[in-house]
Amino acid sequence: MSVSKKRIVVKVGTSTLTDENGNIDIRTMDHLCRALAGAENMGYDLVLVSSGAIAVGANKMRLAQKPKEIKMKQAAASVGQTELMHLYDKFFGEYNRMVGQILLDNDDLTDQVRSENLKNTFDALLENHIIPIVNENDSVSHAEIESEKKLFSDNDMLSALVAVFCNACKLIIFSDIDGLYDGNPSSDPSAKLISRVEEITDELKGVASGSGSNRGTGGMITKLEAAELATKNGIDVLITNGKHPEMLYDIIDKKKVGTLFVAKEI
């Protein structure tokens, strides 16, 4: 497999897209779309893996808390995905960019026929300068919400699988933290940001702690697992704070931002 030097997958998490009350963070979403449109103008192919459907749907349905029943999670995902795509279409449209929606379940990347059709769809969208927006198909496939048969485990792993599938050169994970620290920065003020990782070791995984907010599903450990998969397939992975999506330009310019997980030679 050869990676495309102009193809970048960007993953944005629920905690980046929403505020503490579950409302969409309009400012961050606007800045994200502007940065991605700007990178696309520079000649890069952009694929956006976006979380947030269940949280956004639950908020729009005025649910008192994040739903626990599968059927309510799926209902919230259905409502929230519609709202997310409406906003993405609106914001990207302001920057003269078109978007397309791709919802995946655990058969789309493993079944040969569906996988080939999916690849053709990605290629057609990118060739026509349309930004694919990818999410799990939670409103139909409960396996990706809480089944033991999960392929993705969460959208961090989904973004790594999409990056490998699309032959991307880089995976950027926008999170609610600046990167990987050598301790837990929320409880240890002396914790230092690790700017570069050549090898993901068991010791490094032990440093990773749980999710930084109650709105997302993943924590740093899922990001390390995603980075491990992507780097083994020749893809650089960068984890940084999603509240400043304009840092995408610094990442493209190879400036020191967040934590860089260096790709293995393949």
Side-chain angles (χ1 to χ4, degrees):
M1 182 198 77
S2 61
V3 299
S4 170
K5 294 183 178 179
K6 285 288 188 177
R7 188 164 291 184
I8 299 173
V9 173
V10 175
K11 185 263 180 178
V12 61
T14 301
S15 56
T16 297
L17 291 175
T18 61
D19 63 20
E20 290 295 335
N21 297 316
N23 298 308
I24 289 196
D25 186 334
I26 296 295
R27 180 177 179 273
T28 296
M29 199 169 190
D30 181 28
H31 286 191
L32 172 69
C33 295
R34 182 169 62 189
L36 266 62
E40 217 266 349
N41 273 341
M42 295 164 66
Y44 288 90
D45 291 339
L46 271 297
V47 177
L48 175 61
V49 176
S50 176
S51 300
I54 294 177
V56 169
N59 181 263
K60 190 167 186 179
M61 293 164 69
R62 295 184 172 85
L63 301 180
Q65 59 185 7
K66 190 173 179 179
K68 294 182 171 57
E69 286 184 281
I70 290 178
K71 67 178 182 179
M72 288 303 294
K73 287 183 178 181
Q74 291 179 308
S78 177
V79 171
Q81 188 65 27
T82 302
E83 180 74 0
L84 280 175
M85 286 306 300
H86 167 72
L87 289 169
Y88 278 130
D89 186 57
K90 177 179 175 60
F91 282 125
F92 276 115
E94 292 292 326
Y95 304 109
N96 199 30
R97 282 294 170 268
M98 293 177 62
V99 297
Q101 175 178 258
I102 295 181
L103 298 177
L104 300 177
D105 65 27
N106 59 353
D107 293 325
D108 293 320
L109 299 180
T110 56
D111 179 85
Q112 184 174 353
V113 174
R114 291 171 69 165
S115 175
E116 185 63 29
N117 289 336
L118 179 63
K119 183 180 186 305
N120 292 338
T121 301
F122 270 117
D123 288 344
L125 289 171
L126 294 170
E127 286 166 9
N128 285 278
H129 304 288
I130 299 169
I131 297 174
I133 299 179
V134 184
N135 199 358
E136 298 169 352
N137 195 7
D138 286 337
S139 62
V140 175
S141 176
H142 76 277
E144 289 308 320
I145 295 179
E146 54 185 25
S147 167
E148 293 181 357
K149 297 181 179 180
K150 288 182 180 182
L151 172 65
F152 308 141
S153 76
D154 92 335
N155 275 6
D156 292 324
M157 184 56 71
L158 171 62
S159 68
L161 288 164
V162 168
V164 173
F165 186 80
C166 292
N167 296 337
C169 69
K170 193 180 299 293
L171 168 62
I172 300 169
I173 298 178
F174 282 131
S175 181
D176 56 1
I177 194 168
D178 293 334
L180 177 65
Y181 285 78
D182 61 5
N184 187 340
S186 62
S187 58
D188 180 5
S190 66
K192 293 182 174 58
L193 182 69
I194 302 171
S195 61
R196 185 181 177 93
V197 174
E198 300 277 354
E199 188 79 30
I200 299 174
T201 62
D202 290 339
E203 181 182 0
L204 201 61
K205 289 178 182 178
V207 171
S209 59
S211 179
S213 80
N214 60 10
R215 302 189 306 281
T217 59
M220 188 54 70
I221 189 63
T222 66
K223 291 167 180 56
L224 289 187
E225 291 168 350
E228 190 169 37
L229 172 66
T231 53
K232 283 180 179 177
N233 284 275
I235 301 167
D236 283 333
V237 178
L238 200 292
I239 298 175
T240 190
N241 198 314
K243 291 300 182 181
H244 308 288
E246 60 277 1
M247 286 195 297
L248 176 62
Y249 301 124
D250 291 335
I251 295 169
I252 289 173
D253 291 338
K254 301 187 185 317
K255 295 180 181 178
K256 187 178 289 188
V257 174
T259 301
L260 171 65
F261 297 83
V262 180
K264 305 293 184 185
E265 291 188 13
I266 56 172

